[in-house]
Amino acid sequence: MPLMSVMIGLFCGLVVWALLDQVQPQALRSIFNEELETRLDQQARETLIRFDNYVLAHTSTARLLANHRQLANYLEPVYWFKGDTDGPKQYRSTPPWLPGSTLWQSLVRPSHILLLDNEGRIREIYQLGERPLPDELAGATELLLSEQRVQANLTTLGDRPYLLISETAEDATGTEMGFLMLVAPIDAQFLAASQQGVSPNGVLVGILEADEQRFLASSDQFRLPAQRLLSAAESDFLVTAQSFSEYEGSTLNLQFATLVPRSVVEAMRDRVAGLERRQRLVAAFTFVSVFTLIFFLLSERLNKILQRVSRFSQRALGSKQPVIERGNQLFVLEDWIHQFIQLVRDTREEMRQQHETEMHESEMLKQAIMETALDSIITIDRRGVIIEYNPTAEQTFGHSREEALGRVFAELIFNGESRLRFSLLLADVLSSRDRHPDEMRHELTAVKRDGAVFPVELAIKPIRLKNRLAFTIYMHDISNRRRIELEIRSLAKFASESPSPILRVNRRGVILYANGASDQLLSYWGCERAQTLPLYWRNRVTDILGSGEDWQTQVICATQVYSLLLTPVVDLGYVNIYGRDITAEREAERQAREHQQELIHVSRLSTMGEMATGLAHELNQPLSAIANYANGSVRRLQASDRGAEDILYALGQITAQADRAGEIIKRLRALVGKQTPVRRVADINEVVREVCSFVEFAARKAGVVIEQEFSLGTLPVRIDVVQIEQVLLNLIRNALDALLEIPEDERSLVIQTSCREGKWVLIRVLDSGAGIRDADMGRLFEPFYTTKESGMGMGLVISRTIIEDHNGTITAEQRAEGGTCFSILLPSNNRNSDE
């Protein structure tokens, strides 16, 4: 009996467990499959959004390059003709029409950047890597000849997927010259970079050729090589394929695939199955144990009844039967039943809480994405009523979420014109499913709560729920972008608006660019824009590019004087020419020189006034000699008719003295007279001798003998003799004034001339006077500074101006033995010819 009850209990427990096993695993698998499908769809949407944003980043880069000032300046002097037979120009380093900046730090660099004319013909190619330009690209450029400024096209070239992005290119005048195209191969590097390094649990993305069901590229070529069929990949991955919106009318049937490794899914499924298997084993053991125990207890109860019957029968019949004394297990069976029921309830509650936790985490993740998004994200239903409104939209438009929910989106956000356009866009989205991402983006005018109007870029994404249709609207404020685009266009036209000449010349001397202010320079050179400079200037351009250093010169164009600065740009092979009108500066310098000559003349007159006594003595000597010789000749003639030789000698002396007086007057007139500076080659020794003759009387009066220590040979210098005489005269007179302060027997004045290194002529004026104090030495050449009671303080200032104008130097120093030494250095001129 007990064995039979145990077997019946095992059988009943197994039957009940089998019935429950058909229900519970199916429910768990249904929950798991629904959650898995939701996560796969979410993963696929996120990867496609990242890819679209990455393509948009390349499109923005193409727009920036096409509108850059450097490309506009390059295109302005460029002319492309339809009949050209020359092939496109190739670059392996940065071309002159691209800025040398780090644009590709966060993006995968394209394989090529092209310049095309308006007919779609490739004119210039910049190759950024080793991959050659696909031959099929020549035919594909016709897709880019449309009215849109920025175009992105996803196509295949040579059985490889490529992203072609083009932007209309204009020169500095705003004329459309053609297109700038980025050629980016969509390979493993591009796809991996588009996901920004986010590939949780080994998730891959790829480009799928839908017609042939094969992969053209993937983010991991080792795990999913190109040309692998979809059927072969599905053995290792769960594939979710999404249709691209068309790229500018392309008819290629390409799909964006998100691949989740089956190993990840299987691992997750195994974990769930393991949990479910353990739960089933616990339930099975519980059911079997409970039913076995129940039947065993029932059998035990029956055994007790039978034992009583046996005992009664034993007493009645006197027969003996074996009796097994056991305890009553009914209450134990009741407790087991209660425990089993509680265990089932606890298991169900645990599974329910786990599912609710997972659903809550998924909702929190979606909410975090909505709250941290940089763009305004608004969800509306089919009637246009707002059903979701993220914090960015609150900040952008000024309406709180509570105020926005339940309001009609178009009436709350747009003005009258944009409301109509939005209604048309919404109807267009309803009528067509697969659309190009750029076609889904539109620019409208939005209105803030305070009435401020600003431009926004809008994209509409339909969401097909189980029982209804909703739309998620992504909106981005493009006010800053429009302002930046305007600034870029303004900067591109900066050179043409400059009032000063600005030109650009290439290595061959061709004028690539010249703004409107450069017309006078072009007339001076006798050429036009896009023509070649004269030979001399072409040679200068070549030399500047070779040396890499700036060069500055001046040219006179009709009545204007220009200072030209030629700056080389060696890397790009051209020279920028910056002109500056210096006509007014040259006129000011001319007037300054005239004023300087006036000051020098006044200084000479002052000097001559101070030397008037000496000059009168100089003139009095030859005049007295003339009078004496004339009186003597008269007396001889009156005394007798003899002495003819004496009379002739006297007349000769009269002539010599008259010439001497005339020479003195001539030199005085030359020194005092106002005249235009004239430079000629003269022997500095003769100039010093002549100056010494001027001060001969003043020297004798001061008891000083001027010692002249001259070089044996001639010392030719190219000078204005009158100005140099004035300098020497100032130094000698200052020395004589200084000697008057010491006893007569200690007075000494020496003038020395010599040649230095064959290039310089040295003149030294040495006196033995009291010298110059250290405090005064540093201020000798300051205007109006003098140590004399009656001095003006301009003699040394004018002297230094004259010497520096002759490209020389004048210095003063204390002599070790006492006194002062003034030194003058003038450039030597070995050519003994007057100019």
Side-chain angles (χ1 to χ4, degrees):
M1 188 68 180
L3 179 59
M4 180 66 69
S5 65
V6 170
M7 293 180 63
I8 294 174
L10 288 173
F11 176 78
C12 292
L14 290 173
V15 170
V16 175
W17 173 77
L19 293 176
L20 293 177
D21 186 62
Q22 296 298 320
V23 177
Q24 183 179 3
Q26 184 177 359
L28 290 174
R29 284 193 293 271
S30 177
I31 295 173
F32 174 80
N33 290 332
E34 288 179 1
E35 183 65 22
L36 177 61
E37 183 178 356
T38 300
R39 292 194 178 187
L40 290 178
D41 290 342
Q42 181 180 357
Q43 184 74 44
R45 288 195 300 271
E46 290 176 354
T47 54
L48 181 57
I49 290 173
R50 293 192 193 101
F51 181 83
D52 289 342
N53 290 337
Y54 198 66
V55 172
L56 180 60
H58 279 78
T59 304
S60 300
T61 302
R63 180 182 293 114
L64 177 62
L65 294 176
N67 290 282
H68 200 275
R69 171 177 59 84
Q70 194 158 333
L71 177 60
N73 293 340
Y74 177 82
L75 291 177
E76 184 167 355
V78 174
Y79 299 94
W80 292 325
F81 301 97
K82 295 182 179 180
D84 290 346
T85 59
D86 296 335
K89 188 174 182 180
Q90 300 279 344
Y91 297 94
R92 293 308 294 268
S93 59
T94 304
W97 37 269
L98 282 183
S101 60
T102 56
L103 293 175
W104 312 108
Q105 288 183 350
S106 60
L107 300 176
V108 174
R109 299 198 309 172
S111 61
H112 298 80
I113 301 179
L114 312 179
L115 278 183
L116 300 88
D117 58 19
N118 287 321
E119 301 299 325
R121 181 178 175 185
I122 300 175
R123 292 294 185 169
E124 297 191 17
I125 302 174
Y126 172 33
Q127 184 171 344
L128 286 82
E130 299 300 328
R131 185 185 299 229
L133 187 67
D135 297 332
E136 297 83 351
L137 185 61
T141 56
E142 297 179 358
L143 298 172
L144 306 173
L145 301 180
S146 68
E147 297 180 357
Q148 295 188 11
R149 293 188 60 84
V150 183
Q151 307 170 58
N153 189 281
L154 183 64
T155 184
T156 57
L157 302 175
D159 206 23
R160 291 183 177 179
Y162 279 81
L163 177 65
L164 306 180
I165 303 173
S166 67
E167 164 67 9
T168 303
E170 299 177 352
D171 60 13
T173 64
T175 303
E176 293 187 1
M177 299 297 294
F179 302 88
L180 181 141
M181 178 187 289
L182 302 185
V183 181
I186 302 181
D187 51 11
Q189 184 182 8
F190 187 94
L191 291 173
S194 70
Q195 300 307 309
Q196 302 175 353
V198 179
S199 58
N201 299 325
V203 176
L204 304 182
V205 296
I207 304 299
L208 178 65
E209 211 289 325
D211 294 333
E212 298 180 5
Q213 293 293 293
R214 60 187 176 88
F215 287 92
L216 301 180
S218 72
S219 58
D220 191 340
Q221 292 295 331
F222 294 98
R223 298 168 61 192
L224 183 63
Q227 308 304 324
R228 187 174 183 181
L229 295 177
L230 175 61
S231 58
E234 286 179 342
S235 62
D236 298 326
F237 299 90
L238 289 178
V239 182
T240 303
Q242 304 173 84
S243 297
F244 283 105
S245 298
E246 287 191 26
Y247 283 80
E248 296 300 326
S250 173
T251 59
L252 295 174
N253 191 6
L254 300 180
Q255 292 182 334
F256 184 84
T258 304
L259 300 94
V260 179
R262 286 187 178 274
S263 59
V264 176
V265 178
E266 293 297 333
M268 185 185 302
R269 182 171 295 165
D270 290 342
R271 289 195 298 272
V272 176
L275 175 62
E276 182 259 339
R277 191 180 301 111
R278 288 191 298 272
Q279 295 293 333
R280 282 192 295 164
L281 290 175
V282 172
F285 177 78
T286 303
F287 277 105
V288 172
S289 300
V290 169
F291 275 90
T292 302
L293 184 59
I294 291 173
F295 279 93
F296 178 77
L297 293 176
L298 290 175
S299 66
E300 284 290 313
R301 187 62 178 173
L302 290 175
N303 282 336
K304 290 183 179 293
I305 295 173
L306 292 176
Q307 288 177 0
R308 292 174 184 168
V309 173
S310 298
R311 285 194 293 271
F312 282 114
S313 64
Q314 182 180 6
R315 286 194 298 267
L317 299 176
S319 63
K320 294 182 180 180
Q321 294 183 359
V323 178
I324 302 174
E325 294 294 335
R326 299 279 183 93
N328 192 344
Q329 298 294 322
L330 291 177
F331 294 108
V332 177
L333 176 61
E334 184 179 2
D335 292 338
W336 272 102
I337 292 173
H338 286 300
Q339 292 178 11
F340 170 74
I341 294 173
Q342 187 63 36
L343 180 61
V344 172
R345 290 177 178 175
D346 293 343
T347 302
R348 289 183 59 188
E349 182 66 21
E350 181 181 353
M351 294 181 65
R352 185 185 65 80
Q353 290 180 357
Q354 182 178 359
H355 180 69
E356 289 180 353
T357 300
E358 293 177 355
M359 293 294 294
H360 179 71
E361 291 178 353
S362 178
E363 290 297 327
M364 291 297 294
L365 179 60
K366 294 177 181 178
Q367 183 179 359
I369 294 175
M370 290 283 289
E371 292 180 354
T372 59
L374 299 178
D375 292 337
S376 300
I377 303 177
I378 303 173
T379 303
I380 63 175
D381 60 13
R382 194 183 187 95
R383 299 172 300 151
V385 176
I386 299 175
I387 59 178
E388 190 54 66
Y389 196 81
N390 77 332
T392 304
E394 293 181 343
Q395 298 176 3
T396 302
F397 299 103
H399 303 284
S400 65
R401 185 173 182 273
E402 291 74 15
E403 295 174 344
L405 294 181
R407 299 280 297 276
V408 177
F409 171 75
E411 296 179 356
L412 181 67
I413 300 300
F414 298 120
N415 56 15
E417 181 182 355
S418 295
R419 290 175 192 169
L420 178 60
R421 288 188 58 193
F422 176 77
S423 300
L424 297 175
L425 291 175
L426 195 60
D428 191 24
V429 171
L430 287 171
S431 62
S432 59
R433 295 184 179 180
D434 298 333
R435 298 176 59 84
H436 188 281
D438 286 344
E439 294 180 354
M440 296 169 59
R441 297 185 178 93
H442 305 275
E443 293 186 3
L444 299 177
T445 301
V447 181
K448 294 185 178 182
R449 182 174 185 176
D450 58 2
V453 179
F454 64 101
V456 294
E457 187 177 55
L458 174 145
I460 305 174
K461 185 68 175 179
I463 304 175
R464 302 186 183 277
L465 304 175
K466 186 175 181 180
N467 298 322
R468 59 174 178 166
L469 178 65
F471 302 91
T472 298
I473 303 172
Y474 301 88
M475 303 180 68
H476 181 70
D477 186 353
I478 60 173
S479 302
N480 291 335
R481 190 179 74 189
R482 284 192 175 179
R483 183 173 63 255
I484 292 172
E485 290 176 353
L486 181 61
E487 291 177 357
I488 291 174
R489 293 180 182 275
S490 177
L491 289 174
K493 297 179 180 180
F494 176 75
S496 61
E497 299 171 354
S498 174
S500 299
I502 300 176
L503 303 95
R504 176 168 292 173
V505 182
N506 64 9
R507 190 179 298 274
R508 296 183 291 108
V510 177
I511 302 174
L512 302 177
Y513 172 79
N515 65 350
S518 306
D519 292 341
Q520 288 196 12
L521 287 177
L522 295 177
S523 300
Y524 170 77
W525 287 320
C527 58
E528 299 292 337
R529 294 170 177 84
Q531 293 183 353
T532 305
L533 290 174
L535 178 60
Y536 169 77
W537 291 93
R538 292 202 303 269
N539 293 336
R540 293 306 309 170
V541 169
T542 302
D543 295 341
I544 291 170
L545 286 173
S547 64
E549 297 179 354
D550 295 348
W551 182 68
Q552 192 169 4
T553 186
Q554 297 179 8
V555 297
I556 301 176
C557 305
T559 60
Q560 303 296 114
V561 181
Y562 286 98
S563 173
L564 300 183
L565 176 64
L566 281 71
T567 302
V569 183
V570 180
D571 295 340
L572 302 180
Y574 61 77
V575 172
N576 289 333
I577 302 177
Y578 304 99
R580 184 168 61 90
D581 188 352
I582 59 172
T583 306
E585 296 179 11
R586 291 293 171 266
E587 178 63 23
E589 291 176 358
R590 184 188 64 78
Q591 294 179 0
R593 286 195 297 270
E594 291 181 356
H595 294 163
Q596 178 180 338
Q597 294 302 322
E598 291 286 347
L599 183 60
I600 293 173
H601 179 240
V602 170
S603 177
R604 287 202 299 268
L605 290 177
S606 175
T607 302
M608 288 301 101
E610 296 176 3
M611 296 175 57
T613 303
L615 291 174
H617 178 75
E618 290 291 332
L619 289 174
N620 186 51
Q621 284 186 340
L623 292 176
S624 298
I626 290 172
N628 292 334
Y629 281 117
N631 292 330
S633 298
V634 170
R635 286 195 301 270
R636 288 182 178 273
L637 288 174
Q638 291 175 352
S640 64
D641 56 357
R642 293 182 299 175
E645 293 181 358
D646 295 337
I647 295 174
L648 290 174
Y649 173 77
L651 292 175
Q653 290 297 320
I654 291 173
T655 301
Q657 293 300 325
D659 291 340
R660 179 184 175 189
E663 185 66 24
I664 292 172
I665 295 172
K666 179 180 179 181
R667 290 201 307 268
L668 182 61
R669 291 179 61 189
L671 186 63
V672 177
K674 184 178 180 181
Q675 59 186 2
T676 302
V678 177
R679 296 189 182 184
R680 63 183 178 86
V681 178
D683 183 5
I684 200 64
N685 293 334
E686 294 299 326
V687 175
V688 174
R689 288 192 184 95
E690 187 170 352
V691 172
C692 290
S693 67
F694 286 158
V695 296
E696 182 178 353
F697 174 77
R700 286 198 304 269
K701 183 178 179 181
V704 178
V705 176
I706 301 176
E707 302 179 28
Q708 302 176 8
E709 299 179 0
F710 295 159
S711 173
L712 296 178
T714 59
L715 299 175
V717 288
R718 188 172 184 273
I719 58 174
D720 185 312
V721 175
V722 174
Q723 290 184 353
I724 298 301
E725 286 180 348
Q726 179 181 353
V727 172
L728 293 173
L729 191 60
N730 285 339
L731 296 180
I732 294 174
R733 292 188 66 256
N734 288 343
L736 291 175
D737 292 342
L739 292 175
L740 293 177
E741 298 178 2
I742 62 175
E744 184 174 346
D745 57 347
E746 297 178 4
R747 299 173 184 173
S748 172
L749 178 59
V750 181
I751 301 178
Q752 300 174 344
T753 62
S754 61
C755 180
R756 289 291 178 88
E757 300 177 357
K759 298 180 180 180
W760 300 92
V761 170
L762 175 63
I763 308 168
R764 301 178 69 195
V765 178
L766 303 95
D767 65 70
S768 60
I772 302 173
R773 295 179 301 176
D774 294 338
D776 298 330
M777 183 64 72
R779 304 183 61 187
L780 284 179
F781 296 97
E782 291 183 7
F784 307 109
Y785 180 78
T786 179
T787 58
K788 300 179 182 179
E789 295 181 358
S790 59
M792 294 179 59
M794 291 299 294
L796 291 178
V797 177
I798 295 173
S799 298
R800 184 175 64 176
T801 301
I802 293 172
I803 296 302
E804 290 178 351
D805 192 47
H806 284 75
N807 298 322
T809 60
I810 178 171
T811 58
E813 59 182 351
Q814 297 280 12
R815 298 179 63 189
E817 59 271 23
T820 307
C821 173
F822 280 87
S823 301
I824 299 174
L825 271 178
L826 293 173
S828 176
N829 191 325
N830 292 323
R831 298 173 297 174
N832 296 320
S833 61
D834 294 344
E835 297 184 5

